Amino acid sequence: MRRKWWFVSSLTLCLCGIFMFIHTQAASTQAEKVAIIAHRGASGYEPEHTMQSYLAAVQQKADYIELDLHMSKDQQLVAIHDYKVDRTTNGTGYVKQYTVKQLQRLNAGKGNKKAVIPTLEEIFRTFGNRTNYYIETKSPHEYPGMEKELLTLMAKYNIHTNHVIVQSFSPESLKTVHRYRPTMKLIQLIRSKQTNMLTDQQFRQIKTYANGIGPNANTLTKPYVQKARSYDLDVHPYTVNDEKQMRMLIEWGVTGMFTNYPDRLYNVLHNK
């Protein structure tokens, strides 16, 4: 009787060990597939959308540096999040009211830091294919031709398509990119109020031109992630700065995350 009890106990412990090993290996494999997307660069440490922020993101081993694009008065693509310069610089007014020279006279730093608003051309010239870019076309209806200008600059600096992801809230903008560059990876941004409201028909429609979705992390649910993944769509939630939330989203099956702190996500993914 004791031998039988010992055998059953040993077998149970062995099976538990195997299960834990498999679970750990699966979790590790999943973590390796999660892209670190530096939200406006390493914006938790440096002024957002500045060369300092992008350099810090690369140093912190981000997989992608995120760029929000607007167009200047002289039709150049510049990296800045807001339509106006008020929040992030010492200037006032709309980005499209300034030429690049005028924009770059403004201080985009914080406190005593000095920084300028970079053009996309300067960013490509600086980093080339040594990093990856996650580019949002902001309000493309305000800037006709911005998608074509983006692709022109990619060609000029020989930026490979596999180094770039383009995202937008505008399906039309993504479809324009898709028409010119069918192999470009595209992400359909989802507004916060719509995060868990996409229907099967909408998922199928997105799949015709995009490779994934970008939902708000704070309104995301596990069943929704699983549903998106069932359509073979990537899920890249924004913006995740808390390590506990990072671990939860990894367990849910997301394939990338926007974060102001790339080093935090790197440490979570590598169990540091």
Side-chain angles (χ1 to χ4, degrees), residues 40 48-49 68 70 80-88 93-95 138 143:
R40 309 177 194 176
E48 66 180 64
H49 287 317
D68 293 301
H70 287 270
I80 184 171
H81 179 268
D82 299 357
Y83 306 105
K84 302 179 76 174
V85 300
D86 302 48
R87 180 180 64 85
T88 57
Y94 290 93
V95 175
K138 300 284 287 189
Y143 310 112

Side-chain angles (χ1 to χ4, degrees), residues 202-219:
Q202 288 172 314
F203 274 120
R204 285 192 291 269
Q205 177 60 28
I206 290 171
K207 183 67 179 173
T208 63
Y209 63 88
N211 304 90
I213 58 171
N216 185 307
N218 295 325
T219 54

Side-chain angles (χ1 to χ4, degrees), residues 6-56:
W6 179 87
F7 175 77
V8 172
S9 298
S10 298
L11 182 61
T12 301
L13 287 171
C14 183
L15 290 173
C16 285
I18 292 171
F19 172 79
M20 289 300 294
F21 175 78
I22 293 172
H23 178 75
T24 301
Q25 290 298 107
S28 176
T29 301
Q30 171 58 29
E32 289 173 3
K33 296 178 181 177
V34 176
I36 304 171
I37 307 160
H39 184 238
R40 309 177 194 176
S43 56
Y45 298 103
E46 297 288 349
E48 66 180 64
H49 287 317
T50 61
M51 285 299 189
Q52 294 96 312
S53 188
Y54 303 143
L55 286 166

Side-chain angles (χ1 to χ4, degrees), residues 23-205:
H23 178 75
T24 301
Q25 290 298 107
S28 176
T29 301
Q30 171 58 29
E32 289 173 3
K33 296 178 181 177
V34 176
I36 304 171
I37 307 160
H39 184 238
R40 309 177 194 176
S43 56
Y45 298 103
E46 297 288 349
E48 66 180 64
H49 287 317
T50 61
M51 285 299 189
Q52 294 96 312
S53 188
Y54 303 143
L55 286 166
V58 172
Q59 290 167 357
Q60 292 177 23
K61 301 181 180 179
D63 295 303
Y64 292 87
I65 55 173
E66 188 224 2
L67 314 173
D68 293 301
L69 296 184
H70 287 270
M71 287 190 93
S72 64
K73 187 177 181 179
D74 48 349
Q75 302 296 294
Q76 292 193 55
L77 291 172
V78 293
I80 184 171
H81 179 268
D82 299 357
Y83 306 105
K84 302 179 76 174
V85 300
D86 302 48
R87 180 180 64 85
T88 57
T89 78
N90 59 344
T92 59
Y94 290 93
V95 175
K96 64 182 181 180
Q97 295 174 328
Y98 288 81
T99 64
V100 163
K101 285 186 177 180
Q102 291 170 333
L103 284 170
Q104 295 193 325
R105 291 192 192 109
L106 303 175
N107 181 20
K110 290 180 180 178
N112 295 324
K113 289 187 177 181
K114 298 292 183 180
V116 300
I117 297 171
T119 66
L120 180 61
E121 185 162 13
E122 289 169 339
I123 295 166
F124 281 166
R125 189 187 304 135
T126 300
F127 294 100
N129 287 301
R130 294 185 300 279
T131 190
N132 299 310
Y133 308 91
Y134 207 119
I135 300 174
E136 180 178 352
T137 53
K138 300 284 287 189
S139 299
H141 60 281
E142 293 276 352
Y143 310 112
M146 74 182 311
E147 297 88 358
K148 193 170 183 181
E149 178 62 16
L150 164 61
L151 297 175
T152 297
L153 287 174
M154 284 180 61
K156 180 178 179 179
Y157 290 93
N158 195 30
I159 304 298
H160 302 157
T161 303
N162 61 352
H163 282 280
V164 179
I165 294 177
V166 176
Q167 65 173 347
S168 186
F169 284 108
S170 167
E172 291 75 20
S173 183
L174 295 177
K175 289 174 183 178
T176 297
V177 175
H178 183 68
R179 186 164 61 250
Y180 287 113
R181 292 288 188 280
T183 60
M184 185 83 77
K185 192 169 185 179
L186 307 175
I187 298 292
Q188 177 64 62
L189 281 168
I190 309 297
R191 299 192 183 279
S192 300
K193 293 181 180 179
Q194 298 175 309
T195 294
N196 290 300
M197 295 174 61
L198 290 185
T199 64
D200 289 290
Q201 183 178 354
Q202 288 172 314
F203 274 120
R204 285 192 291 269
Q205 177 60 28

